[in-house]
Amino acid sequence: MADYNYGKYLEQFALEGEPVSAVAYGNGHINDTCLVTTVCGTEEKKYILQRINTKVFQDPQGLMENIVRVTEFIGEKIRKRGGDPLRETLNVISTKAGESFYRDKNGECWRMYLFIDGATSFDQVEKPEDLYQGGLAFGRFQQLLSDFPARTLHETIPDFHNTPKRLADFRRAVEEDVCGLASSVEPEIRFILDREADTHVLTDMLAAGELPLRVTHNDTKLNNVMIDNATGRGICVIDLDTVMPGLALNDYGDLIRFGASTAAEDEKDLSRVSCDLAFADACTRGFVEGCGGSLTANELAMLPMGAKLMTLECGMRFLADYLQGDVYFKVHRPGHNLDRCRTQLKLVQDMEEKWVELQKIVSKYAGRRQ
Ligand code: ADP
Ligand code: GN1
Ligand code: MG
């Protein structure tokens, strides 16, 4: 966002105080995020300004409508429970015209949130306790939305976690091979195609009525939870762009994909990448507890499959993007998406080798759910 003149966006919003700085912030792969500071008398206020990625989210109006409704719904519950709705949910700052976002004359869409101060979003796991807290926060988030009218939510990215559809998109990227890179990544392509039978296991169960459709977050990376610096508690789930009807298994799966990995998502040295069972244990304990006994027997039984499929799906999305010339995920170096794909495939392989242990972890917490 370095080239933007933020002033003209900031003046559109109903902020407290005068903006004094705006700096690029965070490590998301999708939106452009900026930390804004204002001064109000002797007091400083902080906000988040984001440019919504409208290539990825093509209906910003529907997306913001979802976010406003979901955050108000959660905020109300937090208030009733005596919590702090200014820190325990995102708070959208309206524009001076009373809108939830501002569309500039070039069609770019901007939104603002209150900044959640005194809390950290971890890009890399530092300790299992953070994973437990992350799992707990995402499980609770799903619970808080269990009585939200799911059908009234806009589907912000259609088929977002439809893994068979993702595989079809991946195949097309390989066949089209627009950058002429496919022959250099044959082992990775083969690894993915060899697992075709797995890709539709959960969607088949959903279609057969064996898994429930819930309101889910759909992007449950640890860095989408704010962990309170003082208490160590996961206080707020952020990055709500993909909240829509989905599978609890995908939220669990993405949590494990990112949280149980021993290395960064873009680690180049694959010998450092594996699925850590203590990390997986902490994520599982938190998530199952956070869901508060609501997961069905089928959901519990399929949790390891959720972890494997979310990781495989993410791997194929990174590789498809590499083959298509890095058009979706932000990249910071040549081959970045390929490096990311390779970590995901390494994790899938490791999960397959540790399948029995992963099932044991799930059984341990599944038994305690009532
Ligand atoms: P992306 O979709 O690009 O991942 P996010 O909404 O997750 O965008 O924001 C990117 C990062 O900005 C987050 O990982 C977090 O560090 C920070 N962030 C976003 N919203 C807030 C907020 N309200 N308060 C504090 N930090 C935030
Ligand atoms: C993106 O927005 P961010 O960085 O939290 C992506 C997720 C991927 C993730 C991989 C809308 O998440 O689906 O799992 O990168 N979000 C979208 O790190 O595509
Ligand atoms: Mg994010």
Side-chain angles (χ1 to χ4, degrees), residues 25-26 28-31 33 48 50 90 113-116 121 223-224 226 238-239:
Y25 195 78
H29 293 342
I30 303 295
N31 297 307
T33 303
I48 284 284
Q50 279 183 327
L90 281 177
Y113 292 121
L114 282 186
F115 182 79
I116 299 158
S121 85
N223 69 5
N224 287 330
M226 304 303 300
I238 61 168
D239 203 346

Short mmCIF file of all heavy atoms in Angstrom, two decimals, residues 25-26 28-31 33 48 50 90 113-116 121 223-224 226 238-239, ligand 1:
data_model
loop_
_atom_site.label_atom_id
_atom_site.label_comp_id
_atom_site.label_asym_id
_atom_site.label_seq_id
_atom_site.Cartn_x
_atom_site.Cartn_y
_atom_site.Cartn_z
N TYR A 25 0.83 -2.97 7.70
CA TYR A 25 0.75 -3.78 8.92
C TYR A 25 0.35 -5.21 8.61
O TYR A 25 -0.46 -5.46 7.72
CB TYR A 25 -0.30 -3.14 9.85
CG TYR A 25 -0.25 -3.64 11.26
CD1 TYR A 25 0.72 -3.17 12.14
CD2 TYR A 25 -1.17 -4.57 11.73
CE1 TYR A 25 0.78 -3.64 13.45
CE2 TYR A 25 -1.12 -5.04 13.02
CZ TYR A 25 -0.15 -4.57 13.88
OH TYR A 25 -0.09 -5.03 15.17
N GLY A 26 0.91 -6.17 9.36
CA GLY A 26 0.46 -7.57 9.30
C GLY A 26 1.01 -8.33 8.10
O GLY A 26 1.69 -7.77 7.25
N GLY A 28 -1.02 -10.71 6.12
CA GLY A 28 -2.07 -11.42 5.39
C GLY A 28 -1.69 -11.60 3.93
O GLY A 28 -0.91 -10.81 3.39
N HIS A 29 -2.26 -12.64 3.31
CA HIS A 29 -1.95 -12.91 1.89
C HIS A 29 -2.94 -12.26 0.94
O HIS A 29 -2.82 -12.38 -0.26
CB HIS A 29 -2.04 -14.42 1.62
CG HIS A 29 -1.01 -15.23 2.31
ND1 HIS A 29 0.14 -14.70 2.82
CD2 HIS A 29 -0.94 -16.56 2.55
CE1 HIS A 29 0.86 -15.68 3.37
NE2 HIS A 29 0.22 -16.81 3.22
N ILE A 30 -4.00 -11.61 1.50
CA ILE A 30 -5.09 -11.20 0.62
C ILE A 30 -5.34 -9.68 0.60
O ILE A 30 -5.25 -9.06 -0.46
CB ILE A 30 -6.41 -11.92 1.03
CG1 ILE A 30 -6.21 -13.46 1.00
CG2 ILE A 30 -7.57 -11.49 0.14
CD1 ILE A 30 -5.94 -14.06 -0.37
N ASN A 31 -5.65 -9.12 1.76
CA ASN A 31 -5.98 -7.68 1.79
C ASN A 31 -4.73 -6.85 2.05
O ASN A 31 -3.71 -7.38 2.47
CB ASN A 31 -7.01 -7.42 2.90
CG ASN A 31 -8.32 -8.15 2.62
OD1 ASN A 31 -8.90 -8.01 1.55
ND2 ASN A 31 -8.78 -8.94 3.59
N THR A 33 -3.31 -4.14 4.51
CA THR A 33 -3.68 -3.71 5.87
C THR A 33 -2.74 -2.62 6.35
O THR A 33 -1.54 -2.66 6.09
CB THR A 33 -3.62 -4.93 6.83
OG1 THR A 33 -4.48 -5.94 6.32
CG2 THR A 33 -4.05 -4.57 8.24
N ILE A 48 -7.48 0.05 12.24
CA ILE A 48 -6.98 -0.72 11.09
C ILE A 48 -7.71 -0.21 9.85
O ILE A 48 -8.94 -0.08 9.86
CB ILE A 48 -7.24 -2.23 11.30
CG1 ILE A 48 -6.26 -2.83 12.30
CG2 ILE A 48 -7.20 -3.00 9.98
CD1 ILE A 48 -4.83 -3.08 11.82
N GLN A 50 -8.17 -1.15 5.84
CA GLN A 50 -7.87 -2.23 4.87
C GLN A 50 -8.44 -1.91 3.51
O GLN A 50 -9.58 -1.43 3.39
CB GLN A 50 -8.47 -3.57 5.34
CG GLN A 50 -7.61 -4.26 6.37
CD GLN A 50 -8.15 -5.62 6.78
OE1 GLN A 50 -9.35 -5.82 6.82
NE2 GLN A 50 -7.25 -6.53 7.11
N LEU A 90 -14.46 -7.89 16.25
CA LEU A 90 -14.10 -6.76 15.39
C LEU A 90 -15.22 -5.73 15.48
O LEU A 90 -16.39 -6.09 15.65
CB LEU A 90 -13.95 -7.23 13.94
CG LEU A 90 -12.64 -7.93 13.58
CD1 LEU A 90 -12.69 -8.39 12.12
CD2 LEU A 90 -11.42 -7.04 13.80
N TYR A 113 -11.51 -0.79 10.98
CA TYR A 113 -11.91 -1.46 12.22
C TYR A 113 -11.22 -0.74 13.38
O TYR A 113 -10.14 -0.14 13.20
CB TYR A 113 -11.38 -2.90 12.26
CG TYR A 113 -11.97 -3.86 11.27
CD1 TYR A 113 -11.14 -4.50 10.35
CD2 TYR A 113 -13.32 -4.18 11.30
CE1 TYR A 113 -11.65 -5.43 9.45
CE2 TYR A 113 -13.84 -5.12 10.40
CZ TYR A 113 -13.00 -5.74 9.48
OH TYR A 113 -13.51 -6.65 8.61
N LEU A 114 -11.78 -0.89 14.57
CA LEU A 114 -11.03 -0.50 15.77
C LEU A 114 -9.83 -1.42 15.84
O LEU A 114 -9.95 -2.63 15.57
CB LEU A 114 -11.86 -0.72 17.03
CG LEU A 114 -12.94 0.27 17.39
CD1 LEU A 114 -13.52 -0.12 18.76
CD2 LEU A 114 -12.39 1.69 17.44
N PHE A 115 -8.69 -0.91 16.22
CA PHE A 115 -7.50 -1.73 16.42
C PHE A 115 -7.61 -2.43 17.78
O PHE A 115 -7.98 -1.80 18.77
CB PHE A 115 -6.25 -0.84 16.38
CG PHE A 115 -4.96 -1.58 16.53
CD1 PHE A 115 -4.41 -2.26 15.47
CD2 PHE A 115 -4.29 -1.60 17.76
CE1 PHE A 115 -3.21 -2.96 15.59
CE2 PHE A 115 -3.09 -2.30 17.90
CZ PHE A 115 -2.55 -2.97 16.81
N ILE A 116 -7.31 -3.72 17.80
CA ILE A 116 -7.35 -4.43 19.08
C ILE A 116 -5.96 -4.33 19.70
O ILE A 116 -5.01 -4.97 19.23
CB ILE A 116 -7.79 -5.89 18.87
CG1 ILE A 116 -9.21 -5.89 18.27
CG2 ILE A 116 -7.76 -6.67 20.19
CD1 ILE A 116 -9.57 -7.13 17.55
N SER A 121 -1.17 -11.22 16.99
CA SER A 121 -1.56 -12.31 16.09
C SER A 121 -0.27 -12.99 15.65
O SER A 121 0.61 -12.34 15.07
CB SER A 121 -2.38 -11.77 14.91
OG SER A 121 -1.57 -11.31 13.88
N ASN A 223 -2.83 -16.74 12.85
CA ASN A 223 -2.69 -15.28 12.81
C ASN A 223 -4.02 -14.57 12.56
O ASN A 223 -4.05 -13.35 12.41
CB ASN A 223 -1.60 -14.83 11.83
CG ASN A 223 -1.95 -15.04 10.38
OD1 ASN A 223 -3.05 -15.46 10.04
ND2 ASN A 223 -1.00 -14.76 9.50
N ASN A 224 -5.10 -15.32 12.56
CA ASN A 224 -6.42 -14.69 12.51
C ASN A 224 -7.11 -14.72 13.87
O ASN A 224 -8.34 -14.56 13.97
CB ASN A 224 -7.29 -15.35 11.43
CG ASN A 224 -6.83 -14.94 10.03
OD1 ASN A 224 -6.31 -13.83 9.84
ND2 ASN A 224 -7.01 -15.81 9.06
N MET A 226 -6.50 -12.91 17.76
CA MET A 226 -5.69 -12.01 18.58
C MET A 226 -5.55 -12.64 19.97
O MET A 226 -6.54 -12.99 20.61
CB MET A 226 -6.37 -10.63 18.72
CG MET A 226 -6.69 -9.93 17.40
SD MET A 226 -5.28 -9.66 16.31
CE MET A 226 -4.23 -8.64 17.33
N ILE A 238 -10.42 -12.65 14.07
CA ILE A 238 -10.46 -11.57 13.07
C ILE A 238 -10.52 -12.18 11.66
O ILE A 238 -10.72 -13.38 11.51
CB ILE A 238 -9.25 -10.62 13.22
CG1 ILE A 238 -7.92 -11.37 13.01
CG2 ILE A 238 -9.27 -9.93 14.58
CD1 ILE A 238 -6.71 -10.46 12.86
N ASP A 239 -10.36 -11.35 10.64
CA ASP A 239 -10.36 -11.78 9.24
C ASP A 239 -11.65 -12.53 8.89
O ASP A 239 -11.64 -13.73 8.60
CB ASP A 239 -9.13 -12.67 8.96
CG ASP A 239 -8.75 -12.66 7.48
OD1 ASP A 239 -9.58 -12.20 6.67
OD2 ASP A 239 -7.65 -13.12 7.15
P1 ADP B 1 -5.76 -10.84 5.40
O1 ADP B 1 -7.09 -11.27 4.86
O2 ADP B 1 -4.92 -10.19 4.37
O3 ADP B 1 -5.09 -11.95 6.13
P2 ADP B 1 -6.41 -9.72 8.03
O4 ADP B 1 -7.77 -9.14 8.24
O5 ADP B 1 -6.15 -11.06 8.62
O6 ADP B 1 -6.09 -9.67 6.46
O7 ADP B 1 -5.36 -8.67 8.61
C1 ADP B 1 -3.97 -8.86 8.48
C2 ADP B 1 -3.29 -8.71 9.84
O8 ADP B 1 -3.59 -7.39 10.38
C3 ADP B 1 -3.77 -9.68 10.90
O9 ADP B 1 -3.06 -10.89 10.85
C4 ADP B 1 -3.48 -8.90 12.18
O10 ADP B 1 -2.11 -8.98 12.54
C5 ADP B 1 -3.76 -7.46 11.79
N1 ADP B 1 -5.12 -7.02 12.13
C6 ADP B 1 -6.23 -7.07 11.34
N2 ADP B 1 -7.30 -6.55 11.96
C7 ADP B 1 -6.88 -6.14 13.19
C8 ADP B 1 -7.50 -5.49 14.31
N3 ADP B 1 -8.78 -5.12 14.28
N4 ADP B 1 -6.73 -5.20 15.40
C9 ADP B 1 -5.42 -5.55 15.43
N5 ADP B 1 -4.77 -6.15 14.41
C10 ADP B 1 -5.48 -6.44 13.30
#
